Amino acid sequence: MQPGKDQSRRRLLCAAIAAGLLVMATTMRAEAPVGRTAAPGEWTAPTGLAVPGLPGRTLTMALRAYAKARARGDVKTPILSIIDYTLPSTEKRLWVLDVERRRVLFRELVAHGKRSGDNVARAFSNVVGSHQSSIGVFRTGECYVGQNGVSLRLEGLEPGINDHAAERAIVMHGAPYVSTEFAAQHGRIGRSFGCPAVRPAIADSLIHTIRGGTLLFASCPDSTYAAGSAYLRP
């Protein structure tokens, strides 16, 4: 097939998947009972600063980054995704929050880069070919269909920290090595080349929920990042 026709076919396939997932996501938000992974329930913020399982310091930073991004016009949709790389890969360390409705839409496992660490990510990079995860503030782009199925482009908004994300092909996608079964066998989930990979079973619905200009904040144990980030300074 000619390249132009192939790209058009991929765009149409992605659009069709997104349309179908819109119905799925709407139903999930309206009908999923509290306690399910996709919608664990209510949370209180910013006064209570409590999201089940999410360290308060990480939530505080994520909300600060979200408020700064909204004020700067970087994002407009009230969906905030948070990855806490201070937690091991065997824990569900990815949250997707509906900020206005104060609901947890997803809490999931998420992979880190193979050169970032074993079960715990300790090293992060903005360098092409590093195979390490990137931290900081990202804006989600559009989805596309690649070798890992439906995938989500991520735009790093912090120069020198994650602004090479697109060049590094850092995207969100599903991966079979992200599972509790893999973790039970290996003591960690599988690792990526730097992408925040998630379980294939929820990848499509999660990607549709956060696609198109929402904020993703990836936290790490390095306090120097928090002190230097323009999104975290008062």
Side-chain angles (χ1 to χ4, degrees):
M1 182 176 289
Q2 296 179 357
K5 292 183 178 179
D6 186 55
Q7 291 176 2
S8 297
R9 184 178 181 182
R10 287 175 179 268
R11 285 195 294 267
L12 288 173
L13 178 57
C14 192
I17 292 172
L21 289 173
L22 176 60
V23 177
M24 183 189 303
T26 303
T27 302
M28 180 183 67
R29 291 186 188 184
E31 299 178 359
V34 171
R36 284 185 56 183
T37 300
E42 301 295 331
W43 61 285
T44 56
T47 55
L49 291 178
V51 172
L54 179 60
R57 179 177 180 273
T58 302
L59 177 59
T60 299
M61 289 193 298
L63 289 171
R64 183 178 298 166
Y66 170 79
K68 181 67 69 72
R70 288 294 296 264
R72 292 169 56 150
D74 292 335
V75 296
K76 297 180 180 180
T77 305
I79 298 294
L80 170 62
S81 303
I82 304 171
I83 299 175
D84 191 342
Y85 285 126
T86 67
L87 301 176
S89 71
T90 48
E91 292 189 25
K92 294 178 179 179
R93 55 184 180 173
L94 165 64
W95 289 259
V96 177
L97 311 179
D98 182 326
V99 179
E100 288 188 348
R101 298 180 181 179
R102 297 189 178 187
R103 287 193 62 83
V104 180
L105 303 180
F106 294 86
R107 182 182 176 185
E108 285 290 330
L109 296 170
V110 63
H112 57 252
K114 61 186 301 183
R115 292 182 181 169
S116 283
D118 194 44
N119 189 32
V120 178
R122 304 185 186 280
F124 304 91
S125 177
N126 190 35
V127 177
V128 175
S130 67
H131 291 177
Q132 293 181 352
S133 295
S134 292
I135 58 172
V137 179
F138 299 81
R139 177 168 52 214
T140 64
E142 293 303 318
C143 74
Y144 67 97
V145 179
Q147 62 182 7
N148 295 301
V150 176
S151 304
L152 180 68
R153 303 184 193 280
L154 299 174
E155 177 188 0
L157 298 182
E158 302 199 69
I161 297 173
N162 60 22
D163 59 333
H164 290 167
E167 186 180 357
R168 296 180 60 203
I170 300 300
V171 301
M172 182 172 286
H173 61 80
Y177 52 74
V178 181
S179 69
T180 54
E181 293 78 13
F182 190 104
Q185 183 176 358
H186 299 277
R188 59 167 172 78
I189 64 172
R191 297 167 299 173
S192 67
F193 283 175
C195 295
V198 296
R199 292 189 301 124
I202 56 87
D204 289 1
S205 57
L206 192 156
I207 285 171
H208 173 73
T209 299
I210 70 174
R211 68 193 286 265
T214 70
L215 192 79
L216 185 150
F217 176 73
S219 177
C220 76
D222 185 0
S223 60
T224 59
Y225 161 71
S229 172
Y231 285 87
L232 297 180
R233 289 196 296 266

